[in-house]
Amino acid sequence: NGTETNPDNCYENNTLWMQLNSDNNIDVYMYNEDVVAGFQFELSSDLDGFMITGISGGSAADAGFQLSSNSTTALGFSLTGATIPAGLGLLATIEVDLGDDPNGFIYLDEAIISDTSGAALDFDVFDELMVGTPPYVELSLENVTTTGADVHIFSTTDVAGFQFDLTSLTDGSFELTGVSGGLAEDADFSVSGN
């Protein structure tokens, strides 16, 4: 109900998120309603060889924070009591090695953002970043009726087989009476249901 027209500036709570930049490093952005006196978080990944190699820049460097990292953890704080003012922007850039096959996910875990008394501030954390085109498969039910449904697939990789369960969200009383057609039939898959 406000006057803001840029959705990038619309946050209800303190928020932390990641974006992959043009140098294939991770920019960590922060919207903070309160001053921030320090932060620490971990990055993990399903990418073979992924590791943090450094941290720099952003509002943390502008505030004169000591920035430090190891292969999985990044942190920033001030020895002089400096703080990052309330606002929206780049917190820091995390230099990373994405490994030999940069197609997967990076996760931001165990984020602690502290106020001037050292107490943790509540933050919404968007903790997943997709890199490249990892193998990804999504199934959905379409055209659901009382007598059947179509199972649709979105996949970034070839599928050599599948198995899934169906459960009723209402009273649980449905019976699977047959499986046929679609891409499975086109690929000469043997399909069955029970």
Side-chain angles (χ1 to χ4, degrees), residues 115-138:
D115 64 15
T116 55
S117 66
L121 295 166
D122 287 331
F123 262 78
D124 293 336
V125 178
F126 293 94
D127 58 358
E128 184 177 274
L129 175 66
M130 186 169 69
V131 177
T133 309
Y136 177 77
V137 176
E138 179 180 66

Side-chain angles (χ1 to χ4, degrees), residues 33-183:
E33 298 174 339
D34 306 295
V35 297
V36 168
F39 64 88
Q40 177 175 327
F41 53 82
E42 296 194 10
L43 295 182
S44 61
S45 180
D46 59 2
L47 300 172
D48 288 335
F50 173 83
M51 70 173 57
I52 296 173
T53 59
I55 179 173
S56 62
S59 57
D62 293 345
F65 277 25
Q66 298 285 331
L67 299 174
S68 179
S69 67
N70 64 25
S71 63
T72 60
T73 305
L75 64 102
F77 60 92
S78 172
L79 296 172
T80 64
T83 59
I84 298 171
L88 167 69
L90 177 66
L91 172 62
T93 296
I94 311 300
E95 293 93 27
V96 294
D97 181 344
L98 297 176
D100 293 332
D101 182 21
N103 293 291
F105 293 89
I106 298 170
Y107 306 97
L108 194 154
D109 301 310
E110 300 182 35
I112 301 170
I113 315 294
S114 61
D115 64 15
T116 55
S117 66
L121 295 166
D122 287 331
F123 262 78
D124 293 336
V125 178
F126 293 94
D127 58 358
E128 184 177 274
L129 175 66
M130 186 169 69
V131 177
T133 309
Y136 177 77
V137 176
E138 179 180 66
L139 296 177
S140 62
L141 292 176
E142 306 282 332
N143 306 316
V144 178
T145 68
T146 57
T147 60
D150 296 333
V151 178
H152 285 245
I153 185 170
F154 172 77
S155 175
T156 62
T157 187
D158 292 339
V159 174
F162 60 89
Q163 176 180 336
F164 55 87
D165 294 325
L166 295 172
T167 306
S168 172
L169 295 177
T170 54
D171 62 8
S173 61
F174 77 91
E175 181 180 348
L176 184 63
T177 59
V179 181
S180 64
L183 295 173

